[in-house]
Amino acid sequence: MSYIKPSFRHPEAPTNNIGYTEADYEGALSTLCAGCGHDSISSAIIQACFEMSIEPHTVAKISGIGCSSKTPTYFLGNSHGFNSVHGRMPSVATGANLANRHLTYIGVSGDGDTASIGMGQFSHVVRRNLNMLYIVENNGCYGLTKGQDSATADVGSHSKKGAVNQYQSIDLCALAIQLGADFVARSFSGDKAQLVPLIKAAMSHQGFAFIDVLSPCVTFNNNVGSTKSYEFVREHIQATGTVDFVPMQEEITVSYEEGASQEVCLHDGSVVRLRKNGKDYNLRDRAAALAAATDHAHSGEILTGLLYMDPDTEDLHTLLDTSECALNKMTEAELCPGNQALQKINDSLR
Amino acid sequence: MKPTDISDPEYFHKVVDCQYACPAHTPVPEYIRLIAAERYTDAYMVNWESNVFPGILGRTCDRPCEPACRRGRVEEEPVAICRLKRVAADYKEDIAERLPSIPTEKNGKKVALVGAGPASLTVARDLMPLGYDIDLFDEQALGGGFMRSQIPSFRLPEEVLAEEVNYVLDMGVITHFNTYVDSLKSLLDKEYDAVFVGSGAPNGRDLKVPGREEGAANIHIGINWLESVAFGHTSSIGEKVIVLGGGNTAMDCCRTSRRIGGKDVKVIVRSPFEEMKASPWEKEDAMHEDIPIMDNHVPVDFVVDQGRLVGMHFEKVRAQYDENGKRSLIPLDEPHVFVECDDVLVAIGQENAFPWIERDIGLEFDQWDMPKLDPQTFQSTNPRVFFGGDSAFGPENIITAVAHGHQAAISIDKFCQGKDVTARPMPGTILSSTKMGVHEWNFDNAVTNDLRFKVPHADKYQSLSDRHIEVELGFDEKLAYAEAERCLNCDVQTVFTDSLCIECDACVDICPTRCITFTESAEETELRGKLSAPANNLAQDLYLSEPLKTGRVMVKDEDVCLHCGLCAERCPTAAWDMQKFLYSVTKAAEVQS
């Protein structure tokens, strides 16, 4: 088995606006099972960062425990990374983000790491509107411990050995919408045309952005009867519309028929556009989004695409009125202003 | 675009760029792997079966394989294929046991071969194991043809040449050396069942400018002069030598001159340096031996003073190209350049000549006075006469002559057995999985980053003192291994089974050179435009699957595939498999390798 990826790349590989090729955003060779959906998600993150011309050193990847949480090793090898404690990625991400608001935070988690052990942490990071991209690589099973059903496994879904899941599943998108997230999307690892623009939009969104990505576990949950297999997902997938992401540097050149699309302008000037079913789906209606996700789930279909979005939101830094300057840029005098300053604060609270 | 038919032997053959480019289609990656495994004798026999002269070619081949090598498309330089071939020859054990057995009971057919060069020797090698009686005629005293007369011994030692020529002659070929065939008619009258003409392109082109006749004593035709040196008739030359011409013969002339008395040797050529016909490494070697190459100089006249050649005049030119890329040399408005010299060697090309073939024996010649031949069978319009090597279609090289010889031997055999000469045998192909375990292959699929290793050379001053000292020392075993590891194993094919694919994208994501795309099928031009990576090399095919479950097709651009096997390693359903493809040109007689 190969443990090193050859270093040769396509001689005509394109470069982005800052002169990097896609290879500059790659990481180590994956040790996940062959065909794992997670590797496709890593690849989509690489493509998104490459196309957005992000400086790799301005990204921090943070994860918990699980197959999904191993993946930050396999992308953005030149970025910051923290493989933290099971279910505790949101805490570490919060700490990092508060210390330096100028990085792009990508949190990678799985259905176990988020919907089971990390459920509490997840709920609160949504509530706090931490400015980050939170990706759940959702395969409906605990792949790292031989494929037991996870909390996102659908009722009636068959495991590899034939056992049928009896417990209600947690719909993380519905939950996020309900908890007040302002950017919620669902996608499929096997559909990069949809996933890549979603990742770009989520990274540009100023606030908490959540993407639940169905990512089949080829080893334990790709069997007939599973509702998280490549085949089942492909057959039952529905999209709210086709998502385009137009970064702020680019002029909008394509025009669409009135009403055939809807556009959302982000704070940094980039634009998210929903095409095709665009006019039938109101991106900004939280209740409708919740209903749409739930209705599709009831009828056995998987609604993907951008489900809900509100760009006019206040993230945690705004709410807390934190320093613009990163803590590592401050001097000791600023970080430890001394007893006098403490007394001043104490006095102001008496 | 239609799905690719991988059962067509030519499809995967084309993916093995080196083998495809080789006129004899030697299975290059196969023998390179054997060299890496220190199985030198096996590597030698793979070569010997295919090209008959591995030791000779490993030193002198024009290497059409190397510019084709895939490695040259992903990094600076191709694998040193030619010099690895030499390694097989240098380190092999005795091969006597492995040579084909020659039947003592002959098949009753007699064949005459004219010329003892590579083409004729190949015909003999292929026909002797079938029981033919073969008479070989050559005007020289020893076999080898132009490999002996024109390639200097500092590039090709006599013992290497003799060894490989003798493997063939020792099969029981009846040799008639020192015998110039002056009439094809009389040969045909001797009741040979077939005659093969492998007499080369024996005439060196002359330069007819003023002073040619007056200076004749010191003006020599390159190939004749090299032959004269090779056979010991010439052993010195003046101190100042001009070599005219820009091909490999010119390079051999100048370097030979340096070894037998030439101190101030210059190569002077009409064309720009980059367009000289000589192989880049031959030019390099010449310049390394302090031989300047003056380009864009057109000879005007030979200057003779008191009956002795003293120099030449040249007109300086520049190259100009019209819209079709056709070159013309435009004289510069400068006075002629005078270059002093004692001797001039004219190496400006070779020509065919068949003064010994009668024109009334049913053998037709074309407008350029070349025999009319069938390009597949090498049969002339006199069905008993076959051609090959330089005498067939003009001057080429050794490996082309060998390729001709193999095909002519098939034709001669069919002709002698009363079979249809035009029914050509299919190539032999074997496609077999290299899978050893879940993600294990029986070839070394890791890609090394090493740049091409240089072949060590003998000390310059020592080698210039004696024309018999071989300049290139060849790779030692350690270097040979390292160089062999640079081979990308292009013969291990990425074989795709569409019915197994679940379209998980794992192969697309892992491919280092982004060769693989899943997309809707379209016409080739459109398809090339929507692949994951630029697919601008139209000489390389797209590998297209049948439609998959989602209606898309798998498209793989063969251009810069590293054959690293990662697509197959990341494939959960073994829809990708790494399968070794062995393509072998069928010969008249099967020679075990």
mmCIF file with all atom_site columns, all heavy atoms in Angstrom, chain B residues 97-118:
data_model
loop_
_atom_site.group_PDB
_atom_site.id
_atom_site.type_symbol
_atom_site.label_atom_id
_atom_site.label_alt_id
_atom_site.label_comp_id
_atom_site.label_asym_id
_atom_site.label_entity_id
_atom_site.label_seq_id
_atom_site.pdbx_PDB_ins_code
_atom_site.Cartn_x
_atom_site.Cartn_y
_atom_site.Cartn_z
_atom_site.occupancy
_atom_site.B_iso_or_equiv
_atom_site.pdbx_formal_charge
_atom_site.auth_seq_id
_atom_site.auth_comp_id
_atom_site.auth_asym_id
_atom_site.auth_atom_id
_atom_site.pdbx_PDB_model_num
ATOM 1   N N   . GLU B 1 97  ? 23.079 -21.204 -23.389 1.00 0.00 ? 97  GLU B N   1
ATOM 2   C CA  . GLU B 1 97  ? 21.999 -22.163 -23.125 1.00 0.00 ? 97  GLU B CA  1
ATOM 3   C C   . GLU B 1 97  ? 20.639 -21.664 -23.602 1.00 0.00 ? 97  GLU B C   1
ATOM 4   O O   . GLU B 1 97  ? 19.740 -22.437 -23.884 1.00 0.00 ? 97  GLU B O   1
ATOM 5   C CB  . GLU B 1 97  ? 21.899 -22.397 -21.609 1.00 0.00 ? 97  GLU B CB  1
ATOM 6   C CG  . GLU B 1 97  ? 23.080 -23.118 -21.018 1.00 0.00 ? 97  GLU B CG  1
ATOM 7   C CD  . GLU B 1 97  ? 22.952 -24.606 -21.218 1.00 0.00 ? 97  GLU B CD  1
ATOM 8   O OE1 . GLU B 1 97  ? 22.015 -25.172 -20.644 1.00 0.00 ? 97  GLU B OE1 1
ATOM 9   O OE2 . GLU B 1 97  ? 23.771 -25.176 -21.966 1.00 0.00 ? 97  GLU B OE2 1
ATOM 10  N N   . ARG B 1 98  ? 20.506 -20.327 -23.599 1.00 0.00 ? 98  ARG B N   1
ATOM 11  C CA  . ARG B 1 98  ? 19.184 -19.761 -23.873 1.00 0.00 ? 98  ARG B CA  1
ATOM 12  C C   . ARG B 1 98  ? 18.956 -19.475 -25.351 1.00 0.00 ? 98  ARG B C   1
ATOM 13  O O   . ARG B 1 98  ? 17.859 -19.080 -25.742 1.00 0.00 ? 98  ARG B O   1
ATOM 14  C CB  . ARG B 1 98  ? 19.031 -18.443 -23.115 1.00 0.00 ? 98  ARG B CB  1
ATOM 15  C CG  . ARG B 1 98  ? 19.200 -18.583 -21.625 1.00 0.00 ? 98  ARG B CG  1
ATOM 16  C CD  . ARG B 1 98  ? 18.619 -17.372 -21.000 1.00 0.00 ? 98  ARG B CD  1
ATOM 17  N NE  . ARG B 1 98  ? 18.801 -17.332 -19.565 1.00 0.00 ? 98  ARG B NE  1
ATOM 18  C CZ  . ARG B 1 98  ? 18.005 -16.640 -18.764 1.00 0.00 ? 98  ARG B CZ  1
ATOM 19  N NH1 . ARG B 1 98  ? 17.005 -15.953 -19.267 1.00 0.00 ? 98  ARG B NH1 1
ATOM 20  N NH2 . ARG B 1 98  ? 18.230 -16.617 -17.475 1.00 0.00 ? 98  ARG B NH2 1
ATOM 21  N N   . LEU B 1 99  ? 19.997 -19.628 -26.162 1.00 0.00 ? 99  LEU B N   1
ATOM 22  C CA  . LEU B 1 99  ? 19.825 -19.330 -27.584 1.00 0.00 ? 99  LEU B CA  1
ATOM 23  C C   . LEU B 1 99  ? 18.968 -20.422 -28.226 1.00 0.00 ? 99  LEU B C   1
ATOM 24  O O   . LEU B 1 99  ? 18.980 -21.571 -27.785 1.00 0.00 ? 99  LEU B O   1
ATOM 25  C CB  . LEU B 1 99  ? 21.193 -19.245 -28.268 1.00 0.00 ? 99  LEU B CB  1
ATOM 26  C CG  . LEU B 1 99  ? 22.049 -18.061 -27.781 1.00 0.00 ? 99  LEU B CG  1
ATOM 27  C CD1 . LEU B 1 99  ? 23.448 -18.125 -28.386 1.00 0.00 ? 99  LEU B CD1 1
ATOM 28  C CD2 . LEU B 1 99  ? 21.379 -16.733 -28.148 1.00 0.00 ? 99  LEU B CD2 1
ATOM 29  N N   . PRO B 1 100 ? 18.221 -20.041 -29.238 1.00 0.00 ? 100 PRO B N   1
ATOM 30  C CA  . PRO B 1 100 ? 17.331 -21.038 -29.855 1.00 0.00 ? 100 PRO B CA  1
ATOM 31  C C   . PRO B 1 100 ? 18.139 -22.181 -30.481 1.00 0.00 ? 100 PRO B C   1
ATOM 32  O O   . PRO B 1 100 ? 19.251 -21.975 -30.967 1.00 0.00 ? 100 PRO B O   1
ATOM 33  C CB  . PRO B 1 100 ? 16.596 -20.234 -30.931 1.00 0.00 ? 100 PRO B CB  1
ATOM 34  C CG  . PRO B 1 100 ? 17.385 -19.003 -31.146 1.00 0.00 ? 100 PRO B CG  1
ATOM 35  C CD  . PRO B 1 100 ? 18.113 -18.722 -29.876 1.00 0.00 ? 100 PRO B CD  1
ATOM 36  N N   . SER B 1 101 ? 17.549 -23.362 -30.456 1.00 0.00 ? 101 SER B N   1
ATOM 37  C CA  . SER B 1 101 ? 18.265 -24.490 -31.069 1.00 0.00 ? 101 SER B CA  1
ATOM 38  C C   . SER B 1 101 ? 18.009 -24.480 -32.575 1.00 0.00 ? 101 SER B C   1
ATOM 39  O O   . SER B 1 101 ? 16.945 -24.080 -33.042 1.00 0.00 ? 101 SER B O   1
ATOM 40  C CB  . SER B 1 101 ? 17.793 -25.796 -30.438 1.00 0.00 ? 101 SER B CB  1
ATOM 41  O OG  . SER B 1 101 ? 16.395 -25.900 -30.606 1.00 0.00 ? 101 SER B OG  1
ATOM 42  N N   . ILE B 1 102 ? 19.029 -24.878 -33.274 1.00 0.00 ? 102 ILE B N   1
ATOM 43  C CA  . ILE B 1 102 ? 18.953 -24.857 -34.739 1.00 0.00 ? 102 ILE B CA  1
ATOM 44  C C   . ILE B 1 102 ? 18.754 -26.295 -35.213 1.00 0.00 ? 102 ILE B C   1
ATOM 45  O O   . ILE B 1 102 ? 19.557 -27.180 -34.875 1.00 0.00 ? 102 ILE B O   1
ATOM 46  C CB  . ILE B 1 102 ? 20.254 -24.279 -35.334 1.00 0.00 ? 102 ILE B CB  1
ATOM 47  C CG1 . ILE B 1 102 ? 20.554 -22.901 -34.713 1.00 0.00 ? 102 ILE B CG1 1
ATOM 48  C CG2 . ILE B 1 102 ? 20.167 -24.190 -36.859 1.00 0.00 ? 102 ILE B CG2 1
ATOM 49  C CD1 . ILE B 1 102 ? 19.467 -21.860 -34.871 1.00 0.00 ? 102 ILE B CD1 1
ATOM 50  N N   . PRO B 1 103 ? 17.694 -26.552 -35.953 1.00 0.00 ? 103 PRO B N   1
ATOM 51  C CA  . PRO B 1 103 ? 17.447 -27.947 -36.373 1.00 0.00 ? 103 PRO B CA  1
ATOM 52  C C   . PRO B 1 103 ? 18.580 -28.483 -37.257 1.00 0.00 ? 103 PRO B C   1
ATOM 53  O O   . PRO B 1 103 ? 19.099 -27.757 -38.117 1.00 0.00 ? 103 PRO B O   1
ATOM 54  C CB  . PRO B 1 103 ? 16.133 -27.855 -37.159 1.00 0.00 ? 103 PRO B CB  1
ATOM 55  C CG  . PRO B 1 103 ? 15.879 -26.413 -37.405 1.00 0.00 ? 103 PRO B CG  1
ATOM 56  C CD  . PRO B 1 103 ? 16.677 -25.612 -36.448 1.00 0.00 ? 103 PRO B CD  1
ATOM 57  N N   . THR B 1 104 ? 18.970 -29.696 -37.004 1.00 0.00 ? 104 THR B N   1
ATOM 58  C CA  . THR B 1 104 ? 20.027 -30.280 -37.850 1.00 0.00 ? 104 THR B CA  1
ATOM 59  C C   . THR B 1 104 ? 19.435 -30.686 -39.187 1.00 0.00 ? 104 THR B C   1
ATOM 60  O O   . THR B 1 104 ? 20.096 -30.668 -40.220 1.00 0.00 ? 104 THR B O   1
ATOM 61  C CB  . THR B 1 104 ? 20.663 -31.494 -37.157 1.00 0.00 ? 104 THR B CB  1
ATOM 62  O OG1 . THR B 1 104 ? 19.616 -32.276 -36.594 1.00 0.00 ? 104 THR B OG1 1
ATOM 63  C CG2 . THR B 1 104 ? 21.625 -31.048 -36.062 1.00 0.00 ? 104 THR B CG2 1
ATOM 64  N N   . GLU B 1 105 ? 18.181 -31.049 -39.145 1.00 0.00 ? 105 GLU B N   1
ATOM 65  C CA  . GLU B 1 105 ? 17.517 -31.384 -40.404 1.00 0.00 ? 105 GLU B CA  1
ATOM 66  C C   . GLU B 1 105 ? 16.911 -30.112 -40.978 1.00 0.00 ? 105 GLU B C   1
ATOM 67  O O   . GLU B 1 105 ? 16.040 -29.495 -40.369 1.00 0.00 ? 105 GLU B O   1
ATOM 68  C CB  . GLU B 1 105 ? 16.407 -32.406 -40.142 1.00 0.00 ? 105 GLU B CB  1
ATOM 69  C CG  . GLU B 1 105 ? 16.004 -33.144 -41.392 1.00 0.00 ? 105 GLU B CG  1
ATOM 70  C CD  . GLU B 1 105 ? 15.153 -34.359 -41.036 1.00 0.00 ? 105 GLU B CD  1
ATOM 71  O OE1 . GLU B 1 105 ? 15.607 -35.180 -40.208 1.00 0.00 ? 105 GLU B OE1 1
ATOM 72  O OE2 . GLU B 1 105 ? 14.029 -34.456 -41.555 1.00 0.00 ? 105 GLU B OE2 1
ATOM 73  N N   . LYS B 1 106 ? 17.400 -29.691 -42.118 1.00 0.00 ? 106 LYS B N   1
ATOM 74  C CA  . LYS B 1 106 ? 16.983 -28.405 -42.683 1.00 0.00 ? 106 LYS B CA  1
ATOM 75  C C   . LYS B 1 106 ? 15.635 -28.546 -43.396 1.00 0.00 ? 106 LYS B C   1
ATOM 76  O O   . LYS B 1 106 ? 15.206 -29.653 -43.744 1.00 0.00 ? 106 LYS B O   1
ATOM 77  C CB  . LYS B 1 106 ? 18.049 -27.897 -43.659 1.00 0.00 ? 106 LYS B CB  1
ATOM 78  C CG  . LYS B 1 106 ? 19.390 -27.651 -42.977 1.00 0.00 ? 106 LYS B CG  1
ATOM 79  C CD  . LYS B 1 106 ? 19.271 -26.518 -41.970 1.00 0.00 ? 106 LYS B CD  1
ATOM 80  C CE  . LYS B 1 106 ? 20.564 -26.350 -41.182 1.00 0.00 ? 106 LYS B CE  1
ATOM 81  N NZ  . LYS B 1 106 ? 20.432 -25.298 -40.152 1.00 0.00 ? 106 LYS B NZ  1
ATOM 82  N N   . ASN B 1 107 ? 15.015 -27.416 -43.652 1.00 0.00 ? 107 ASN B N   1
ATOM 83  C CA  . ASN B 1 107 ? 13.688 -27.485 -44.284 1.00 0.00 ? 107 ASN B CA  1
ATOM 84  C C   . ASN B 1 107 ? 13.767 -27.456 -45.805 1.00 0.00 ? 107 ASN B C   1
ATOM 85  O O   . ASN B 1 107 ? 12.747 -27.381 -46.493 1.00 0.00 ? 107 ASN B O   1
ATOM 86  C CB  . ASN B 1 107 ? 12.774 -26.377 -43.743 1.00 0.00 ? 107 ASN B CB  1
ATOM 87  C CG  . ASN B 1 107 ? 13.192 -24.988 -44.219 1.00 0.00 ? 107 ASN B CG  1
ATOM 88  O OD1 . ASN B 1 107 ? 14.219 -24.850 -44.915 1.00 0.00 ? 107 ASN B OD1 1
ATOM 89  N ND2 . ASN B 1 107 ? 12.415 -23.978 -43.874 1.00 0.00 ? 107 ASN B ND2 1
ATOM 90  N N   . GLY B 1 108 ? 14.978 -27.449 -46.323 1.00 0.00 ? 108 GLY B N   1
ATOM 91  C CA  . GLY B 1 108 ? 15.133 -27.552 -47.774 1.00 0.00 ? 108 GLY B CA  1
ATOM 92  C C   . GLY B 1 108 ? 15.031 -26.236 -48.522 1.00 0.00 ? 108 GLY B C   1
ATOM 93  O O   . GLY B 1 108 ? 15.106 -26.212 -49.747 1.00 0.00 ? 108 GLY B O   1
ATOM 94  N N   . LYS B 1 109 ? 14.882 -25.140 -47.792 1.00 0.00 ? 109 LYS B N   1
ATOM 95  C CA  . LYS B 1 109 ? 14.783 -23.842 -48.466 1.00 0.00 ? 109 LYS B CA  1
ATOM 96  C C   . LYS B 1 109 ? 16.086 -23.081 -48.266 1.00 0.00 ? 109 LYS B C   1
ATOM 97  O O   . LYS B 1 109 ? 16.665 -23.084 -47.180 1.00 0.00 ? 109 LYS B O   1
ATOM 98  C CB  . LYS B 1 109 ? 13.618 -23.030 -47.889 1.00 0.00 ? 109 LYS B CB  1
ATOM 99  C CG  . LYS B 1 109 ? 12.278 -23.736 -47.973 1.00 0.00 ? 109 LYS B CG  1
ATOM 100 C CD  . LYS B 1 109 ? 11.738 -23.743 -49.388 1.00 0.00 ? 109 LYS B CD  1
ATOM 101 C CE  . LYS B 1 109 ? 10.378 -24.453 -49.428 1.00 0.00 ? 109 LYS B CE  1
ATOM 102 N NZ  . LYS B 1 109 ? 9.866  -24.592 -50.811 1.00 0.00 ? 109 LYS B NZ  1
ATOM 103 N N   . LYS B 1 110 ? 16.501 -22.392 -49.345 1.00 0.00 ? 110 LYS B N   1
ATOM 104 C CA  . LYS B 1 110 ? 17.761 -21.632 -49.279 1.00 0.00 ? 110 LYS B CA  1
ATOM 105 C C   . LYS B 1 110 ? 17.488 -20.143 -49.464 1.00 0.00 ? 110 LYS B C   1
ATOM 106 O O   . LYS B 1 110 ? 16.742 -19.747 -50.351 1.00 0.00 ? 110 LYS B O   1
ATOM 107 C CB  . LYS B 1 110 ? 18.711 -22.108 -50.383 1.00 0.00 ? 110 LYS B CB  1
ATOM 108 C CG  . LYS B 1 110 ? 19.514 -23.324 -49.986 1.00 0.00 ? 110 LYS B CG  1
ATOM 109 C CD  . LYS B 1 110 ? 20.603 -23.605 -51.021 1.00 0.00 ? 110 LYS B CD  1
ATOM 110 C CE  . LYS B 1 110 ? 21.833 -22.751 -50.784 1.00 0.00 ? 110 LYS B CE  1
ATOM 111 N NZ  . LYS B 1 110 ? 22.976 -23.190 -51.615 1.00 0.00 ? 110 LYS B NZ  1
ATOM 112 N N   . VAL B 1 111 ? 18.114 -19.375 -48.619 1.00 0.00 ? 111 VAL B N   1
ATOM 113 C CA  . VAL B 1 111 ? 17.930 -17.927 -48.698 1.00 0.00 ? 111 VAL B CA  1
ATOM 114 C C   . VAL B 1 111 ? 19.303 -17.259 -48.767 1.00 0.00 ? 111 VAL B C   1
ATOM 115 O O   . VAL B 1 111 ? 20.218 -17.657 -48.038 1.00 0.00 ? 111 VAL B O   1
ATOM 116 C CB  . VAL B 1 111 ? 17.160 -17.396 -47.465 1.00 0.00 ? 111 VAL B CB  1
ATOM 117 C CG1 . VAL B 1 111 ? 17.016 -15.882 -47.523 1.00 0.00 ? 111 VAL B CG1 1
ATOM 118 C CG2 . VAL B 1 111 ? 15.773 -18.040 -47.370 1.00 0.00 ? 111 VAL B CG2 1
ATOM 119 N N   . ALA B 1 112 ? 19.440 -16.279 -49.643 1.00 0.00 ? 112 ALA B N   1
ATOM 120 C CA  . ALA B 1 112 ? 20.688 -15.503 -49.722 1.00 0.00 ? 112 ALA B CA  1
ATOM 121 C C   . ALA B 1 112 ? 20.452 -14.135 -49.101 1.00 0.00 ? 112 ALA B C   1
ATOM 122 O O   . ALA B 1 112 ? 19.415 -13.523 -49.318 1.00 0.00 ? 112 ALA B O   1
ATOM 123 C CB  . ALA B 1 112 ? 21.112 -15.336 -51.174 1.00 0.00 ? 112 ALA B CB  1
ATOM 124 N N   . LEU B 1 113 ? 21.415 -13.700 -48.293 1.00 0.00 ? 113 LEU B N   1
ATOM 125 C CA  . LEU B 1 113 ? 21.347 -12.366 -47.703 1.00 0.00 ? 113 LEU B CA  1
ATOM 126 C C   . LEU B 1 113 ? 22.488 -11.539 -48.250 1.00 0.00 ? 113 LEU B C   1
ATOM 127 O O   . LEU B 1 113 ? 23.642 -11.970 -48.207 1.00 0.00 ? 113 LEU B O   1
ATOM 128 C CB  . LEU B 1 113 ? 21.468 -12.436 -46.181 1.00 0.00 ? 113 LEU B CB  1
ATOM 129 C CG  . LEU B 1 113 ? 20.593 -13.443 -45.436 1.00 0.00 ? 113 LEU B CG  1
ATOM 130 C CD1 . LEU B 1 113 ? 20.923 -13.421 -43.945 1.00 0.00 ? 113 LEU B CD1 1
ATOM 131 C CD2 . LEU B 1 113 ? 19.117 -13.157 -45.646 1.00 0.00 ? 113 LEU B CD2 1
ATOM 132 N N   . VAL B 1 114 ? 22.180 -10.356 -48.773 1.00 0.00 ? 114 VAL B N   1
ATOM 133 C CA  . VAL B 1 114 ? 23.225 -9.492  -49.319 1.00 0.00 ? 114 VAL B CA  1
ATOM 134 C C   . VAL B 1 114 ? 23.505 -8.378  -48.307 1.00 0.00 ? 114 VAL B C   1
ATOM 135 O O   . VAL B 1 114 ? 22.624 -7.592  -47.985 1.00 0.00 ? 114 VAL B O   1
ATOM 136 C CB  . VAL B 1 114 ? 22.801 -8.889  -50.671 1.00 0.00 ? 114 VAL B CB  1
ATOM 137 C CG1 . VAL B 1 114 ? 23.928 -8.041  -51.249 1.00 0.00 ? 114 VAL B CG1 1
ATOM 138 C CG2 . VAL B 1 114 ? 22.376 -9.975  -51.625 1.00 0.00 ? 114 VAL B CG2 1
ATOM 139 N N   . GLY B 1 115 ? 24.723 -8.374  -47.806 1.00 0.00 ? 115 GLY B N   1
ATOM 140 C CA  . GLY B 1 115 ? 25.097 -7.412  -46.773 1.00 0.00 ? 115 GLY B CA  1
ATOM 141 C C   . GLY B 1 115 ? 25.006 -8.088  -45.420 1.00 0.00 ? 115 GLY B C   1
ATOM 142 O O   . GLY B 1 115 ? 24.076 -8.852  -45.148 1.00 0.00 ? 115 GLY B O   1
ATOM 143 N N   . ALA B 1 116 ? 26.008 -7.817  -44.549 1.00 0.00 ? 116 ALA B N   1
ATOM 144 C CA  . ALA B 1 116 ? 26.045 -8.473  -43.239 1.00 0.00 ? 116 ALA B CA  1
ATOM 145 C C   . ALA B 1 116 ? 25.758 -7.490  -42.115 1.00 0.00 ? 116 ALA B C   1
ATOM 146 O O   . ALA B 1 116 ? 26.308 -7.577  -41.034 1.00 0.00 ? 116 ALA B O   1
ATOM 147 C CB  . ALA B 1 116 ? 27.381 -9.157  -43.030 1.00 0.00 ? 116 ALA B CB  1
ATOM 148 N N   . GLY B 1 117 ? 24.889 -6.527  -42.407 1.00 0.00 ? 117 GLY B N   1
ATOM 149 C CA  . GLY B 1 117 ? 24.516 -5.541  -41.391 1.00 0.00 ? 117 GLY B CA  1
ATOM 150 C C   . GLY B 1 117 ? 23.344 -6.024  -40.546 1.00 0.00 ? 117 GLY B C   1
ATOM 151 O O   . GLY B 1 117 ? 22.938 -7.189  -40.626 1.00 0.00 ? 117 GLY B O   1
ATOM 152 N N   . PRO B 1 118 ? 22.816 -5.121  -39.718 1.00 0.00 ? 118 PRO B N   1
ATOM 153 C CA  . PRO B 1 118 ? 21.774 -5.524  -38.768 1.00 0.00 ? 118 PRO B CA  1
ATOM 154 C C   . PRO B 1 118 ? 20.512 -6.104  -39.413 1.00 0.00 ? 118 PRO B C   1
ATOM 155 O O   . PRO B 1 118 ? 19.907 -7.005  -38.845 1.00 0.00 ? 118 PRO B O   1
ATOM 156 C CB  . PRO B 1 118 ? 21.456 -4.217  -38.025 1.00 0.00 ? 118 PRO B CB  1
ATOM 157 C CG  . PRO B 1 118 ? 22.047 -3.121  -38.839 1.00 0.00 ? 118 PRO B CG  1
ATOM 158 C CD  . PRO B 1 118 ? 23.192 -3.712  -39.580 1.00 0.00 ? 118 PRO B CD  1
#
